Amino acid sequence: MDHQPKAKIDPPAEKKMLRTSRFPGFYSLDVWERLDKLGEWFPLSTKEKWILKNETLTAEKADVMIENVIGVFGLPLGVAVNFRINDKDYVIPMAVEETSIVAACSNLAKLIREHGTLSARASHAVMEGQVQLVNPHDPDQAIKDIAEAKDRLIALANKQDRTLVSLGGGAKDLTVHRIETESGTMLVVHLAVDVVDAMGANAVNTMVETLGPVLAEIAKAEVVCQIISNLCDKSLARAKVVLDPECLKSKTFSGMAVAERIVKAYHFADADPYRAATHNKGIMNGIDAVLIATGNDWRAVEAGVHAYAARSGRYRPLSKYRIEGGKLIGEIELPIAVGVVGGVSKLHTGVELLLRLMGLPSRRELSEVVATVGLVQNLAALRALVTEGIQEGHMTLHARNVAYSAGAIGDIAITVANQMIQEGRIRFDRAREILKKMIAHKQGNPENDGQ
Ligand code: NAD
């Protein structure tokens, strides 16, 4: 008998394979039930569930983070489910007030995991700091002198952050650029720093502030600004979706027709900055929500992303679409400066917990997730836009928001919202009318109905 050794299944690996971010019916659970379900994905104590539900940040902690604190400000916290990126499942936290973002993202991620693939790749975590030198005595000589002092300057920068250097990061390169401005010739020194798992602003700012006076002396110039650049185009993240168009079919269009319309919508955005702005806003809907939930500086990413979108001289979309080999292919490329250490990653209780829930990703992995969410969000918005339109998807929650604003609560708000959807009239004044009518009816005063 042939005694072939049986393939040994390592139990933890087997368990890992079964770990799926596919949570059918998650949306229909109540908040505690969702937290319980999440607890099956990642062990959460009752206290941790309570923290996620009620107190991701206390005023006492907030008081350490910013000045003049009077409280903490709430935002809805949800999780996008169904994501499978680079063959790994993710449950992705999103903090955002706009309806439909989490749902659109999760729904499309479900379609993609069934009919396509999502892959992503981020480059090294290199951030650049700039030192502005004005009135150089002899610009050409200054450029030569700075180049000669390069190794000494990099070593000086690295003395400012031993931790970063011990982790394999730190200042790696220094270049000088000459620019002509309204204030005359300037030299701008770029210091490239590998920030490993940090966002890097404090680390880089400390380094360039140390180098500034030294560079001024070498260049016989005056130093003005010494600060990180948020256009971190050495820290790019790319994501790609490959999808069988059939799964995109709508009531009116075949799947391939939807895919073709998506490509046309992309070409529109590529040719027209008015459309490109909204195209990119759809991308940032997903990205910002993840950045906020993971305690990242979304202003920094927004600044970098929009500057990158305009790098050709015209503001353009960050993602592109094409049909190839019968598949719809979408790709995104954008600079992502995120950190999983430093900043508020340890201070903010919710952030600390949510990063753990994501499996404590490296900066690179988080950048890949962020870029992918941006792409999936964008494709979800484009799909709606080229088929039934954006409003239909927004309808239910938007109608509930309007009903709540008009004073309805609980089941009454749902009834008011449903009636407005049925009538196709989702307006504050109509919500008030319906509400008044319901109250009058309940009080047995139907003659006041609709007054
Ligand atoms: P930080 O200084 O809090 O943490 C980074 C430091 O942590 C590193 O310098 C390193 O010494 C240490 N560290 C420990 N383990 C590390 C690891 N594995 N990888 C990398 N570093 C490790 O934070 P930061 O990332 O330098 O700065 C981020 C903060 O700066 C954000 O809160 C941001 O809002 C703020 N900020 C941004 C700007 C801007 O974007 N223009 C300007 C100023 C400040």
Side-chain angles (χ1 to χ4, degrees):
M1 233 173 110
D2 187 12
H3 286 283
Q4 286 279 344
K6 279 195 181 140
K8 225 175 97 192
I9 298 175
D10 169 21
E14 185 190 24
K15 215 171 166 193
K16 222 172 159 185
M17 269 160 48
L18 294 172
R19 200 165 181 250
T20 171
S21 64
R22 180 81 188 88
F23 291 0
F26 192 63
Y27 69 95
S28 61
L29 305 176
D30 69 25
V31 177
W32 270 117
E33 286 170 340
R34 288 194 198 115
L35 282 162
D36 286 340
K37 183 78 193 157
L38 208 55
E40 290 171 22
W41 166 268
F42 174 86
L44 286 170
S45 66
T46 308
K47 187 180 170 199
E48 286 170 331
K49 288 177 192 169
W50 192 87
I51 285 172
L52 287 175
K53 183 170 179 282
N54 299 309
E55 202 172 59
T56 47
L57 183 64
T58 60
E60 288 67 32
K61 284 204 172 175
D63 204 21
V64 183
M65 287 164 64
I66 66 160
E67 309 75 29
N68 297 354
V69 164
I70 55 161
V72 289
F73 183 83
L75 265 184
L77 172 65
V79 286
V81 293
N82 304 329
F83 270 84
R84 191 162 180 75
I85 308 167
N86 296 336
D87 289 326
K88 182 176 171 187
D89 275 39
Y90 288 92
V91 169
I92 304 168
M94 299 178 91
V96 64
E97 85 296 345
E98 189 178 334
T99 55
S100 299
I101 289 178
V102 180
C105 218
S106 301
N107 287 340
L108 195 67
K110 175 174 168 278
L111 272 190
I112 298 170
R113 72 184 288 137
E114 287 163 0
H115 304 278
T117 54
L118 277 176
S119 55
R121 192 87 194 115
S123 55
H124 278 293
V126 176
M127 301 296 288
E128 285 188 302
Q130 296 184 298
V131 179
Q132 176 197 12
L133 299 166
V134 301
N135 305 328
H137 179 68
D138 178 346
D140 293 333
Q141 187 58 43
I143 291 171
K144 279 186 202 146
D145 292 344
I146 292 169
E148 230 164 70
K150 179 173 161 174
D151 291 346
R152 178 165 65 89
L153 290 163
I154 288 178
L156 177 61
N158 281 332
K159 268 195 188 163
Q160 313 311 310
D161 203 328
R162 298 284 192 204
T163 312
L164 209 49
V165 174
S166 74
L167 294 165
K172 300 289 182 190
D173 197 13
L174 184 141
T175 50
V176 197
H177 308 264
R178 179 183 175 144
I179 56 170
E180 304 303 329
T181 75
E182 271 188 45
S183 304
T185 299
M186 294 180 192
L187 298 179
V188 182
V189 177
H190 279 219
L191 181 73
V193 183
D194 181 339
V195 291
V196 191
D197 280 323
M199 181 266 175
N202 287 325
V204 171
N205 289 345
T206 306
M207 288 183 180
V208 288
E209 282 190 7
T210 305
L211 294 193
V214 183
L215 282 162
E217 206 178 307
I218 296 171
K220 296 187 180 59
E222 185 190 336
V223 65
V224 183
C225 299
Q226 310 151 87
I227 188 149
I228 192 166
S229 168
N230 288 111
L231 176 50
C232 49
D233 56 4
K234 291 189 167 60
S235 194
L236 294 175
R238 298 178 180 87
K240 183 175 182 180
V241 56
V242 179
L243 191 59
D244 179 351
E246 237 356 85
C247 69
L248 295 173
K249 71 170 180 287
S250 72
K251 282 175 233 158
T252 331
F253 299 102
S254 72
M256 188 48 94
V258 174
E260 283 164 358
R261 289 168 69 84
I262 286 170
V263 174
K264 283 178 186 149
Y266 153 62
H267 288 154
F268 172 22
D270 198 36
D272 178 359
Y274 286 89
R275 175 61 208 141
T278 320
H279 180 102
N280 289 344
K281 194 273 181 181
I283 292 171
M284 299 316 288
N285 271 345
I287 288 183
D288 282 345
V290 184
L291 295 177
I292 293 170
T294 54
N296 274 292
D297 185 339
W298 76 97
R299 288 91 50 206
V301 176
E302 284 274 354
V305 155
H306 296 298
Y308 193 68
R311 68 194 182 284
S312 66
R314 190 177 80 231
Y315 188 86
R316 296 174 74 179
L318 294 152
S319 61
K320 41 175 94 169
Y321 293 89
R322 66 181 189 279
I323 294 166
E324 199 177 279
K327 304 275 186 202
L328 175 68
I329 298 177
E331 286 173 297
I332 193 168
E333 177 187 274
L334 69 183
I336 298 286
V338 287
V340 293
V341 296
V344 298
S345 58
K346 281 277 176 291
L347 189 58
H348 191 292
T349 317
V351 165
E352 200 258 343
L353 191 47
L354 292 166
L355 283 171
R356 276 199 281 131
L357 186 94
M358 288 186 82
L360 292 175
S362 62
R363 168 178 161 135
R364 169 176 271 183
E365 190 179 1
L366 182 59
S367 304
E368 290 168 353
V369 170
V370 164
T372 308
V373 170
L375 180 63
V376 172
Q377 194 71 55
N378 177 229
L379 181 52
L382 286 176
R383 183 196 180 200
L385 190 60
V386 304
T387 54
E388 79 269 19
I390 286 292
Q391 282 310 97
E392 190 171 310
H394 273 65
M395 209 75 92
T396 311
L397 282 176
H398 173 60
R400 283 189 205 174
N401 282 349
V402 173
Y404 270 98
S405 316
I409 51 169
D411 287 349
I412 295 178
I414 294 172
T415 310
V416 172
N418 287 345
Q419 184 165 337
M420 287 194 295
I421 291 170
Q422 257 179 16
E423 294 171 357
R425 280 200 291 168
I426 302 172
R427 290 197 324 252
F428 181 79
D429 56 339
R430 182 60 191 142
R432 294 282 299 181
E433 271 172 25
I434 300 170
L435 186 60
K436 272 190 181 173
K437 201 169 168 179
M438 283 173 75
I439 293 167
H441 192 76
K442 212 171 169 200
Q443 288 170 344
N445 201 7
E447 63 273 20
N448 283 342
D449 282 11
Q451 297 304 301

